[in-house]
Amino acid sequence: MTTLSLVEDDVKLFGKKSRSDDQPVIEAPAPVEEEKPISVVVVDDDDDLRGILRIALESRGFDILGDTSDAMAALQVVRDGQPDIILLDLAMPEVTGLEVLPLLLEQSPRSKIVICSAISATHMTEAALDAGADAYIIKGVSAKTLIGHLRRVAHSGPVRPVRPYPLGRDYVEPPTPTAG
């Protein structure tokens, strides 16, 4: 870090002269890097739920790049916005969340996909994770729990935690039965 003496004669370009210990030194403050808000696209056919999610996320500092009720329309929003997180419902008319999930990853490979669904069946969780989802959340969790989970997923880097409901435990595949 370059120091700048308050004594005008002591200042040199590209360096500094030696100074006596009684001369005060002013140091330039380190630049403060602002944390970029987590960007989210919400894909759910329930208009009311999308509205609630938008309000909850925006009020906690998330950047909502878009929301859509149609899985195929989500492809355009995701392609244009390249969000950090795609919050995706599974049960939608015409094209389901599971069907569009791989296409969303093609459009925005760095996005993390969090399934937010009322379907809690183990086979659906496994199918979503196999298709490339980073996490699975059952609708009905509190906004605080959802927000905390989305932040963990967004900041997880290449190691992607998977925490289906209940969110307090890691997902572990059930042991495979052995013959004999």
Side-chain angles (χ1 to χ4, degrees):
M1 178 177 294
T2 304
T3 58
L4 176 64
S5 172
L6 285 179
V7 179
E8 193 171 310
D9 296 337
D10 227 10
V11 177
K12 278 179 63 175
L13 192 57
F14 303 113
K16 66 178 183 174
K17 282 184 163 180
S18 63
R19 60 172 185 80
S20 63
D21 289 336
D22 61 338
Q23 294 175 334
V25 174
I26 299 174
E27 294 187 10
V32 177
E33 194 171 311
E34 291 185 29
E35 188 174 315
K36 180 184 147 232
I38 299 167
S39 59
V40 179
V41 169
V42 180
V43 185
D44 196 305
D45 62 323
D46 185 328
D47 295 336
D48 293 333
L49 181 62
R50 278 196 332 276
I52 290 167
L53 287 170
R54 176 180 278 279
I55 291 167
L57 293 169
E58 284 178 336
S59 70
R60 288 170 176 86
F62 286 77
D63 180 19
I64 306 301
L65 300 179
D67 65 74
T68 179
S69 62
D70 176 68
M72 296 311 288
L75 291 171
Q76 182 67 41
V77 175
V78 166
R79 181 176 40 247
D80 294 345
Q82 297 295 302
D84 297 316
I85 293 179
I86 302 166
L87 200 52
L88 180 65
D89 184 20
L90 289 182
M92 291 185 290
E94 297 180 36
V95 178
T96 68
L98 274 179
E99 291 169 326
V100 78
L101 196 152
L103 301 173
L104 291 168
L105 285 172
E106 276 181 29
Q107 294 301 317
S108 185
R110 71 169 196 82
S111 294
K112 296 179 181 180
I113 297 183
V114 175
I115 302 297
C116 188
S117 183
I119 302 170
S120 63
T122 302
H123 71 280
M124 291 303 288
T125 303
E126 290 172 1
L129 298 175
D130 289 345
D134 295 290
Y136 195 105
I137 298 172
I138 304 303
K139 286 181 182 174
V141 298
S142 71
K144 182 178 178 181
T145 300
L146 176 65
I147 300 299
H149 187 62
L150 292 180
R151 285 195 173 120
R152 283 192 301 277
V153 170
H155 296 298
S156 67
V159 178
R160 297 176 176 172
V162 177
R163 298 173 190 274
Y165 188 82
L167 298 176
R169 66 175 173 78
D170 288 334
Y171 177 77
V172 179
E173 296 214 12
T176 308
T178 57

